[in-house]
Amino acid sequence: MRLPMSARSAGIGLVLIAIILRLGNGRGFGATEYAQLTVDGLRSGSIYALIAVGFVVVFNVTKVINFAQGAFVMLGAMITADVYSRSLTGSDLLNLVIAASIAIVLTTAVGVVTDIVFMRPIRKSNDLVKIIVTVGLFTALEGLALLKWGPNALRLPAFNTFLTDNPRDTNYRPFGLLVKGQSIWIWLATITLLIALSWFFTKTMKGRAFRASASNELAANLMGINSVAMATVAFGLAAALGAVGGILIAPATAPIYDMGLRLGLKGFVSAVTGGLRSVSGAVAGGILLGVIENVAAGVTKAGLRDIWSAVILILVLLYRPEGLFAGKRETEKV
Amino acid sequence: MENESEATHDPTVGRDCAPNDSRQKGKDVKTKNVWYRATVTLIAAALVASACGSDSSGSAGDDASSETSTSDVTGDTSSDDSDSPVTDDGDAEVGSTYRIGIAVSATGPASGLGAPEQATFQLIEEQVTADGGVTGPDGILHPVEFVFLDNETNPDAAASSMSRLITEDAVDIVLGGTTSGNSLAMLPIATENETPFVSLASAGSIVRDPESGEVRRWIFKTVHINDNVAELVASYVGARGSSSVCYLAENTGYGQDVLNTASAAFDAAGLEIAFSDVFEREETEFPQTVSIGAAGCDTVVIGSLMPAAVNANAALLDALPDVEVIHTSGICNGGFLSLDPTVVEGVTATCPKLLVPPDSLPDDDPQKSVLSSYRDAYEQFSGEPVNSFGGHAWDAGQWALLALGSLEDGLEGAERRAAIRDALESEVDGFVGTGGVFTLSADDHVGIVDTKTALTTVRVVDGAFAPLPESDWAN
Amino acid sequence: MSGRVSLEASGVSKVFGGIRALDNVDVRVDEGEIHGLIGPNGAGKTTFFNIITGFYRSDGGTLTFQGEDISQSTPAELAQRGITRTFQNLQLFEEMTVAEHVMVGYHRHGTAGFVAGLLGTRHARQEHRRAVEMVDATLERFDLLGIADAFATELPLGHQRRVELARAMALQPKILLLDEPASGLNAVEAAELMELIRSIRSGGTTVMLVEHDMPVMMGLADTITVFDFGISIARGTPAEVREMPQVIAAYLGEETDD
């Protein structure tokens, strides 16, 4: 991927790195500590990436920033934890597979219904109305989750616990680093999903039709592509991606009805960092945000963590509103 | 209805619309997640504004309020007679009705605390109603009416519930608050309207103004202050021979307060805090563990509520399996044990005595009988296992009844409220409660003279809280 | 020529904010012909195109395609029936290659559903293979094989027009509506275009054409309908139309200044 950073952006980046090294030095951090912070950042970054792709997919087809995306993440995590806790079969692993499948299917259905019932009728309204409706949908889904599951957190064990007898021994320690077992699951699932998505978009007929609709609705219509149906597909796809993100991150936190806001907005910042229209940009944005945030939080106060995504958002909007990773062609157009 | 008095300093007007966009915030610290709150709240506010715009008649008391219906029966039948003596009950001479306002977090993120508080107040209401009320020193029986509002774990809603209880329901005393953030939002209104308020939250700043250092005249609380926790933690760590700890606090009002008080108390005990930091409730990564590793701590104190306390505990265990973890009293309920039993096994916490079975307490413990009888009454009434939050509500309710029972007949309005306030300071004297042995005075509005009447160290053994007597600390 | 009616509009009107852009126009296109639509600027030709292809709804009159009413159909439905068009200002897909454009055009012949596409079922894969063969044939026909993997929006205008045409033909339409296909092309490119359009017609596709370039129009069209101020004023072969006094008047009225 090309990173034609302007001199100014590069300058800002260098200054940030210098500050981070200076602060970390004060705590006696060496290479191991920075590597550890990066490894941990890579895993939340992967989750942000999945959520961000959901934003991009919907935005490309409908031109709507779907703030309900965070609710899809929450639903994925909550439904999985709920179904898992019911122990439908004798095997924990099988229970997880069943729970995750139900969660993905149900959340996707929620995404599809969301589009058909709420977004379709306001298809011709202006974008602000649509965005406000998605915020309303987010609040409604969160409220429903509170009704269903109450205010207390649920729990989903780390996936590695299904492969070992000792539930507290699920991690790996290469080169003095701690790599949590769940991180491996997160990375493998994210990579698999992104490859499958890329294959779908570039190699299949329906995937091309989807991209065509995202690129030029008018012309796509003339090719017999129903852009209204494509919007529904986009919402379903975004919901499925969000649900997978939620399921993967659930063991790292205690899933709770209001977990969607924070993750949803991290995904949004990642998508904007990547230019809001590009899937690969969103992935890069998510990973970058996850790493920067975790390293910065590691050397400063972690209570400031959420400020870093705000800083990134503002810098991107000020200096590179087309996204950090916009290729040469876009840059020339601007 | 727009009179000019200070009572119309009225957050209620905004309140009827506020809860719509506030549920997702649900935390009691303003600095949290400021940036995206701003973004989304702006949009949400637009949504709410448009929804409210259609019926902005401006009158405060509309029906969309969050007043719960628990006590509607009593509320409806006697809502207009607060100053006309009821004489239909022939036995004793009956005086005017006393009104106790309750505003706990029945919903929202802190409803895990608020629900048992609410149930306990309902239990007390049932008992008092069965008695017909409280009898004063002059032998006159006064019916007691309970008015329940839900503060939704939201400082705005909490402030307006206080406001409504005072101005519309004309209560004589308010009990509740649940979280420190809510209590801090409610207390200026109580002070302004000279109404006694007994909080159920932990922060010391609730009863003592941190700026001036003065005791807040109208505000009391039944919960041990976090200084008590810090004191106990410091003695425990000292007994184990450590001279430094690391401290992780949840980024909420509670977490900030336990951290701040610990800084002072540990310093006094000669215990160094080698590293401290806060973390978010929904955190998925804990970069703090890297700094804790670099600082070389072998003991980490986690000052947090559920469920964040378990998240932080799990992350610590993953990164640094050998450190000893100590929790503060924020986790002292069953959810801590059940969320992830593999994480919390073996950890130590400082908890109210209610958390351990009464049988395990020594027989000479003065609180043994009250702990045991409240436990039985609560579990029978609510069908849920007992927890310390309900215990704090029990103590608050008993304080209120003690004070009301000391009043002479004939007091009304501001005069009555002032008498109740004075009575709290004089009547709660060696009161044996679930959360401590209390002696209130003008200088002390918590009244726990001996920390060890409020808290005990416990350890999680086989998925349950087991008492950890001082003699076992070094093991 | 079969002589059967392909597209028929009768009494079609369109009002924009009180102005009658089309007033009761009648147009009949027979199957297999190249039908031209001419008229001075603002005569309503593009509006008419937009009504036929479902982007506007007519305010009156009837519109049929092969005898069936199409006045309420959406562009996507019309495309499924075999009606498509090109635009005067090109409408290509950004970040998609020439080959992908053609493949999207072929889209309506796919039957594999979304889930099948996502899962890569055998049916979906077979379909994909057939599509690739068809795409190669179309690219060859429109002389685009050499630039099949280039991003379409980065090509010179003449190529872009060919891509748009190829994409439209991949749909295998029954009728193709071309809006000013020769605009911006030089004489050589225009001649190539005329050849392509003739070959499209001889492949069995009816063509309807709006074009300002009179030599192109007169050289291609079998029949011409003339619009003026939203009214259809004449119909006939190019030779007939050229001689009609009302047509001369309409054009003289516009072009005396030249």
Side-chain angles (χ1 to χ4, degrees):
Chain A
M1 184 170 305
R2 305 179 57 144
L3 299 175
M5 306 266 272
S6 71
R8 190 157 46 176
S9 320
I12 291 172
L14 282 176
V15 169
L16 279 179
I17 290 172
I19 294 174
I20 284 170
L21 289 177
R22 178 76 210 261
L23 289 169
N25 194 38
R27 295 195 181 176
F29 282 9
T32 313
E33 279 78 12
Y34 289 116
Q36 183 66 60
L37 292 171
T38 307
V39 165
D40 290 342
L42 279 174
R43 83 187 199 139
S44 41
S46 302
I47 301 296
Y48 298 165
L50 286 180
I51 302 167
V53 171
F55 273 100
V56 168
V57 163
V58 169
F59 182 79
N60 272 341
V61 176
T62 66
K63 304 297 168 276
V64 172
I65 295 171
N66 171 30
F67 280 107
Q69 182 69 13
F72 299 149
V73 180
M74 176 273 295
L75 284 178
M78 296 297 279
I79 295 173
T80 307
D82 181 338
V83 176
Y84 175 79
S85 71
R86 293 167 196 264
S87 298
L88 297 175
T89 71
S91 152
D92 283 347
L93 182 60
L94 190 59
N95 287 338
L96 175 74
V97 172
I98 292 171
S101 309
I102 291 177
I104 294 171
V105 169
L106 279 184
T107 309
T108 306
V110 169
V112 166
V113 169
T114 294
D115 182 64
I116 293 175
V117 176
F118 298 100
M119 301 312 290
R120 225 175 247 191
I122 56 164
R123 199 157 47 90
K124 302 243 162 83
S125 307
N126 72 40
D127 292 346
L128 185 63
V129 171
K130 295 182 192 170
I131 289 173
I132 289 174
V133 168
T134 68
V135 173
L137 283 168
F138 174 87
T139 315
L141 288 172
E142 199 177 77
L144 288 174
L146 179 63
L147 279 180
K148 172 78 183 82
W149 290 292
N152 294 326
L154 306 179
R155 175 178 168 264
L156 189 67
F159 300 170
N160 260 10
T161 53
F162 305 123
L163 309 176
T164 166
D165 292 335
N166 180 355
R168 293 250 46 92
D169 181 26
T170 59
N171 303 321
Y172 308 98
R173 297 187 179 272
F175 314 114
L177 290 178
L178 167 68
V179 178
K180 294 182 181 172
Q182 191 64 21
S183 308
I184 307 284
W185 288 90
I186 290 174
W187 292 327
L188 285 180
T190 303
I191 290 169
T192 310
L193 211 54
L194 290 177
I195 290 175
L197 209 58
S198 148
W199 172 82
F200 170 69
F201 279 142
T202 58
K203 298 283 184 251
T204 71
M205 203 75 120
K206 295 288 175 184
R208 287 198 185 89
F210 188 89
R211 277 164 64 216
S213 192
S215 167
N216 188 332
E217 187 181 334
L218 183 78
N221 274 338
L222 284 170
M223 298 298 116
I225 296 167
N226 184 346
S227 53
V228 178
M230 287 297 159
T232 306
V233 170
F235 267 88
L237 202 55
L241 286 166
V244 173
I247 294 166
L248 290 169
I249 201 69
T253 178
I256 190 165
Y257 77 97
D258 64 352
M259 67 186 283
L261 179 67
R262 194 173 137 95
L263 286 167
L265 284 152
K266 293 290 170 63
F268 170 64
V269 173
S270 308
V272 171
T273 305
L276 204 50
R277 296 213 49 163
S278 145
V279 169
S280 53
V283 171
I287 287 171
L288 190 75
L289 176 62
V291 170
I292 289 186
E293 188 183 77
N294 206 54
V295 173
V299 298
T300 59
K301 287 280 172 190
L304 301 175
R305 158 179 296 233
D306 292 339
I307 290 176
W308 294 103
S309 35
V311 168
I312 291 173
L313 183 64
I314 290 166
L315 286 179
V316 167
L317 290 179
L318 277 182
Y319 294 111
R320 288 187 68 90
E322 75 279 17
L324 277 191
F325 315 106
K328 193 157 147 275
R329 285 179 301 123
E330 272 94 340
T331 321
E332 279 169 354
K333 266 187 229 150
V334 169
Chain B
M1 64 184 290
E2 287 291 328
N3 65 20
E4 297 276 325
S5 80
E6 68 267 46
T8 55
H9 160 74
D10 192 359
T12 324
V13 175
R15 168 187 180 264
D16 291 317
C17 288
N20 295 333
D21 69 322
S22 56
R23 174 153 297 164
Q24 71 227 40
K25 298 182 192 164
K27 273 137 246 162
D28 48 2
V29 66
K30 297 185 188 75
T31 55
K32 191 172 187 304
N33 308 334
V34 173
W35 69 273
Y36 59 68
R37 291 277 149 75
T39 317
V40 165
T41 307
L42 256 180
I43 299 169
L47 193 68
V48 170
S50 62
C52 291
S54 53
D55 62 346
S56 55
S57 56
S59 89
D62 87 2
D63 294 327
S65 80
S66 55
E67 186 155 4
T68 54
S69 56
T70 347
S71 69
D72 274 4
V73 182
T74 45
D76 288 343
T77 52
S78 58
S79 59
D80 54 349
D81 63 356
S82 62
D83 42 17
S84 62
V86 183
T87 49
D88 53 349
D89 192 359
D91 281 15
E93 198 181 343
V94 176
S96 56
T97 301
Y98 295 145
R99 296 171 156 230
I100 298 178
I102 309 290
V104 297
S105 303
T107 61
S111 57
L113 291 63
E117 292 167 358
Q118 181 99 345
T120 300
F121 286 126
Q122 285 162 355
L123 167 67
I124 296 173
E125 180 187 28
E126 191 182 86
Q127 293 175 347
V128 172
T129 308
D131 295 344
V134 295
T135 309
D138 44 18
I140 298 177
L141 181 69
H142 294 263
V144 180
E145 182 192 325
F146 287 71
V147 183
F148 288 84
L149 287 187
D150 176 9
N151 74 33
E152 302 170 18
T153 322
N154 172 327
D156 297 333
S160 45
S161 60
M162 174 62 88
S163 199
R164 284 176 64 112
L165 286 172
I166 295 172
T167 57
E168 288 175 35
D169 300 309
V171 300
D172 299 303
I173 180 170
V174 176
L175 317 177
T178 305
T179 65
S180 297
N182 281 355
S183 298
L184 291 169
M186 290 163 78
L187 65 86
I189 300 160
T191 303
E192 201 174 330
N193 293 286
E194 305 197 331
T195 302
F197 169 40
V198 183
S199 161
L200 311 178
S202 62
S205 57
I206 292 169
V207 290
R208 191 181 287 275
D209 185 338
E211 308 275 307
S212 65
E214 281 172 22
V215 170
R216 299 187 202 266
R217 185 168 162 77
W218 294 90
I219 317 299
F220 302 82
K221 73 190 196 83
T222 56
V223 186
H224 59 270
I225 51 179
N226 289 325
D227 303 66
N228 299 126
V229 176
E231 205 178 296
L232 194 60
V233 169
S235 354
Y236 171 75
V237 175
R240 296 177 70 78
S242 290
S243 61
S244 90
V245 294
C246 287
Y247 209 113
L248 280 184
E250 187 182 5
N251 196 5
T252 57
Y254 174 78
Q256 304 275 7
D257 193 61
V258 284
L259 179 53
N260 290 341
T261 51
S263 306
F266 288 10
D267 206 30
L271 191 60
E272 185 205 3
I273 297 183
F275 170 79
S276 68
D277 201 351
V278 295
F279 61 90
E280 302 297 335
R281 178 164 63 93
E282 321 90 324
E283 202 55 89
T284 56
E285 307 304 328
F286 285 81
Q288 300 91 337
T289 57
V290 174
S291 292
I292 290 172
C297 288
D298 55 8
T299 307
V300 179
V301 184
I302 296 176
S304 168
L305 303 173
M306 285 296 294
V310 171
N311 290 351
N313 202 147
L316 266 175
L317 230 57
D318 280 335
L320 306 161
D322 299 327
V323 299
E324 172 170 16
V325 178
I326 302 169
H327 285 272
T328 59
S329 59
I331 52 89
C332 298
N333 63 52
F336 179 73
L337 298 172
S338 59
L339 189 62
D340 191 342
T342 65
V343 168
V344 300
E345 183 69 20
V347 303
T348 305
T350 55
C351 283
K353 287 182 174 174
L354 208 47
L355 261 286
V356 296
D359 301 343
S360 66
L361 294 170
D363 284 339
D364 61 349
D365 189 315
Q367 291 159 274
K368 191 164 179 168
S369 80
V370 64
L371 288 167
S372 161
S373 62
Y374 168 68
R375 171 185 289 257
D376 295 344
Y378 177 85
E379 292 184 347
Q380 193 191 347
F381 180 79
S382 71
E384 303 277 334
V386 77
N387 64 55
S388 58
F389 306 112
H392 298 315
W394 173 263
D395 294 346
Q398 301 309 314
W399 286 10
L401 296 176
L402 262 182
L404 291 173
S406 75
L407 298 189
E408 297 290 340
D409 188 34
L411 295 170
E412 291 301 336
E415 210 183 353
R416 182 153 83 194
R417 298 199 300 271
I420 293 171
R421 195 214 74 84
D422 294 344
L424 283 172
E425 282 181 3
S426 58
E427 299 299 316
V428 179
D429 182 4
F431 170 78
V432 180
T434 66
V437 176
F438 299 92
T439 299
L440 295 175
S441 68
D443 297 330
D444 188 352
H445 278 192
V446 185
I448 297 171
V449 181
D450 178 2
T451 290
K452 285 170 189 154
T453 65
L455 294 166
T456 180
T457 46
V458 297
R459 185 163 287 164
V460 180
V461 179
D462 296 333
F465 286 118
L468 181 65
E470 203 168 335
S471 50
D472 292 346
W473 277 3
N475 302 330
Chain C
M1 260 165 264
S2 64
R4 282 175 54 203
V5 176
S6 170
L7 188 83
E8 183 158 31
S10 67
V12 166
S13 298
K14 181 71 193 174
V15 180
F16 290 115
I19 295 167
R20 295 191 88 81
L22 287 179
D23 190 4
N24 218 9
V25 300
D26 300 316
V27 176
R28 196 189 81 231
V29 181
D30 292 328
E31 277 189 6
E33 72 166 338
I34 297 180
H35 190 98
L37 194 55
I38 63 170
N41 280 328
K45 301 175 304 258
T46 300
T47 303
F48 184 69
F49 259 34
N50 282 334
I51 287 175
I52 298 172
T53 46
F55 289 101
Y56 296 160
R57 290 263 172 277
S58 64
D59 295 324
T62 60
L63 196 58
T64 60
F65 176 64
Q66 296 181 333
E68 288 172 41
D69 177 43
I70 55 165
S71 59
Q72 302 302 316
S73 302
T74 65
E77 287 163 2
L78 292 168
Q80 296 285 356
R81 282 172 181 251
I83 303 176
T84 195
R85 67 176 289 187
T86 64
F87 287 83
Q88 183 180 355
N89 47 344
L90 295 151
Q91 299 286 345
L92 296 172
F93 303 125
E94 278 186 32
E95 294 179 22
M96 289 181 84
T97 65
V98 170
E100 283 181 325
H101 274 76
V102 176
M103 198 164 274
V104 168
Y106 186 72
H107 166 266
R108 79 167 170 124
H109 302 287
T111 53
F114 249 101
V115 177
L118 262 175
L119 298 179
T121 60
R122 195 169 136 184
H123 175 53
R125 275 178 291 145
Q126 282 175 348
E127 201 169 276
H128 191 257
R129 215 170 303 128
R130 278 201 303 279
V132 169
E133 285 164 19
M134 193 285 313
V135 167
D136 282 347
T138 308
L139 288 172
E140 192 169 1
R141 178 176 172 196
F142 287 85
D143 194 19
L144 293 166
L145 263 182
I147 50 171
D149 293 327
F151 284 118
T153 49
E154 293 174 352
L155 295 170
L157 182 70
H159 288 71
Q160 291 196 3
R161 291 225 181 267
R162 284 222 303 274
V163 173
E164 207 185 24
L165 217 48
R167 180 182 69 185
M169 286 312 293
L171 203 71
Q172 299 173 355
K174 299 200 177 80
I175 182 168
L176 173 64
L177 289 79
L178 302 172
D179 193 355
E180 309 247 359
S183 83
L185 301 187
N186 62 34
V188 177
E189 288 170 334
E192 285 173 5
L193 179 79
M194 288 172 73
E195 259 331 291
L196 269 178
I197 294 174
R198 283 200 192 96
S199 83
I200 287 169
R201 186 262 302 272
S202 51
T205 301
T206 309
V207 175
M208 190 170 183
L209 180 68
V210 164
E211 184 52 67
H212 269 121
D213 187 325
M214 278 304 148
V216 170
M217 179 58 99
M218 295 300 167
L220 274 177
D222 301 311
T223 323
I224 287 179
T225 300
V226 186
F227 278 14
D228 190 25
F229 290 112
I231 305 170
S232 44
I233 58 170
R235 177 190 159 88
T237 65
E240 289 165 2
V241 164
R242 217 187 316 235
E243 304 303 324
M244 290 181 179
Q246 68 270 38
V247 177
I248 296 169
Y251 271 86
L252 285 179
E254 190 195 37
E255 295 185 0
T256 34
D257 295 346
D258 288 355

